[in-house]
Amino acid sequence: MECTSKLRIVYGDYTLGVHGEGFDYVFSYSQGGLESVVKNGYEWLYRCPKPTFWRALTDNDRGSKFHIKSGSWLAADMFIDCKEIEVITDGKSQGKPCAPDNNKYGGDVLAENIVVKFVYETVTNPRTTVDVIYSVENTGKITVSVSYKGVKGLPQLPVFGLRFIMPTLADKYMYEGLSGETYPDRMAGGVKGVYEINDLSLTPYLVPQECGMRMGTDWLEVTRHTSLNNSRKDNSAQILRIEKKEDTFAFSCLPYTASEIENATHHEELPPARRTVLCIYGAVRGVGGIDSWGSDVEDAYHIDAEKDITYSFVIC
């Protein structure tokens, strides 16, 4: 049945609340992003989603010295500055309605839809920007549009996407896409279908490195039942679903960020698996593997950082 109720908007001093039947979202001006996604009383975010540019190195990356050529993207992945925020309700811009400007709004503000736009600037030299736009419908669906601005002089990108960190480790995930680990230059053996993954562990390479990529995805469902809320009585499984908007997307769902994997030379050096790190990608560099002694990834599987990249997906 189609939802006909409007969104309830709460203009806080440093946050923007968006509420509807069965969902509560909070956007933070101070943190520069979507701070909370609560569905049916269950929290899905531990940190604000931010643009991600780095994947852990592979043996082949080290052999070709990719990290020496493109290492500035690791800094950009760890540190990024939110420069602009704009809120648009029912097609009308509200600017950045933080304190004291938020006092002009009443206690009950209703809207058919709301758009929140964040503009991020990288720490690379030269710098570039990424726009992340959240469009919230009264059904609770969030369309996420991510746009990278290409700038001349920037080195090749390892990946480009948006990183979500969830409060606890997922039980499993299910997706429709290609089977197994797949990359742009390692897709020929992938078979389209629906797959369920019950083990989020890293692929047991001798040295922890990039793994877990899934290409050509139509939809993804992450299942969790644990929570950081000690007062929560219901321990039933909860599901967050992500769907393609137009084109398929790539994703990885692991217990660690790329920098955590990068810091470990052996698996026992990894921290305890406590979180779920879900990255939704619009561009992925190939992994090569022609040899591990210096051959670069073939040109067709590079990501040119001097060109614009745009993609979108839907959080259901």
Side-chain angles (χ1 to χ4, degrees):
M1 184 171 65
E2 185 178 354
C3 179
T4 57
S5 59
K6 292 187 177 183
L7 297 167
R8 183 170 65 89
I9 313 299
V10 179
Y11 292 94
D13 287 351
Y14 296 101
T15 58
L16 176 77
V18 180
H19 308 278
E21 187 174 349
F23 63 89
D24 301 275
Y25 306 145
V26 176
F27 296 89
S28 172
Y29 307 136
S30 59
Q31 298 300 316
L34 176 60
E35 188 171 50
S36 175
V37 170
V38 173
K39 287 182 173 289
N40 300 316
Y42 190 78
E43 177 64 73
W44 282 96
L45 289 184
Y46 183 69
R47 293 283 186 268
C48 289
K50 294 292 177 67
T52 183
F53 309 96
W54 191 258
R55 59 165 173 77
L57 294 174
T58 65
D59 289 337
N60 196 74
D61 290 330
R62 295 185 183 93
S64 65
K65 295 191 175 182
F66 176 71
H67 54 305
I68 304 300
K69 296 175 250 184
S70 292
S72 58
W73 288 116
L74 175 56
D77 188 84
M78 297 180 68
F79 308 108
I80 195 164
D81 190 17
C82 182
K83 304 295 287 187
E84 298 176 29
I85 300 172
E86 182 183 13
V87 176
I88 304 168
T89 55
D90 293 337
K92 183 178 179 181
S93 176
Q94 310 296 327
K96 180 184 174 182
C98 58
D101 295 337
N102 62 318
N103 292 324
K104 68 182 180 182
Y105 300 98
D108 290 316
V109 180
L110 302 179
E112 294 286 351
N113 58 73
I114 187 166
V115 175
V116 186
K117 178 180 180 180
F118 297 92
V119 179
Y120 300 95
E121 185 178 71
T122 66
V123 296
T124 53
N125 184 19
R127 301 188 179 197
T128 188
T129 58
V130 176
D131 293 353
V132 179
I133 303 174
Y134 299 94
S135 303
V136 184
E137 304 174 16
N138 60 353
T139 59
K141 285 187 175 183
I142 308 174
T143 298
V144 185
S145 301
V146 189
S147 300
Y148 164 88
K149 180 67 175 176
V151 172
K152 187 173 179 58
L154 286 171
Q156 294 172 27
L157 276 158
V159 291
F160 173 61
L162 199 63
R163 179 177 58 242
F164 298 79
I165 300 181
M166 299 176 184
T168 59
L169 188 64
D171 303 323
K172 63 179 181 178
Y173 62 87
M174 183 179 292
Y175 70 99
E176 182 178 2
L178 297 178
S179 59
E181 288 187 359
T182 48
Y183 291 84
D185 54 354
R186 291 291 181 272
M187 294 172 58
V191 178
K192 190 78 171 183
V194 176
Y195 300 96
E196 182 175 291
I197 308 299
N198 294 289
D199 183 4
L200 271 65
S201 301
L202 302 185
T203 304
Y205 299 117
L206 183 61
V207 176
Q209 56 190 280
E210 165 62 23
C211 62
M213 189 69 69
R214 316 281 170 168
M215 303 290 295
T217 308
D218 292 312
W219 58 262
L220 161 70
E221 291 182 347
V222 179
T223 301
R224 292 170 49 234
H225 78 279
T226 53
S227 171
L228 298 182
N229 180 3
N230 292 329
S231 66
R232 180 171 174 257
K233 300 294 193 293
D234 181 10
N235 287 322
S236 62
Q238 303 292 316
I239 296 175
L240 184 72
R241 183 179 173 94
I242 293 175
E243 299 176 350
K244 69 176 184 180
K245 178 64 175 177
E246 294 174 353
D247 298 328
T248 59
F249 58 87
F251 78 93
S252 63
C253 188
L254 299 168
Y256 307 112
T257 63
S259 58
E260 287 175 323
I261 299 172
E262 200 75 75
N263 284 337
T265 57
H266 299 284
H267 283 266
E268 63 267 22
E269 296 175 1
L270 290 164
R274 299 177 296 182
R275 314 278 181 232
T276 303
V277 180
L278 173 66
C279 296
I280 308 295
Y281 297 108
V284 178
R285 176 182 168 88
V287 292
I290 300 167
D291 56 50
S292 295
W293 300 273
S295 294
D296 194 6
V297 173
E298 294 183 3
D299 290 347
Y301 307 114
H302 291 177
I303 306 176
D304 188 349
E306 298 184 349
K307 295 182 179 179
D308 296 350
I309 305 170
T310 300
Y311 75 106
S312 60
F313 56 93
V314 180
I315 303 174
C316 301

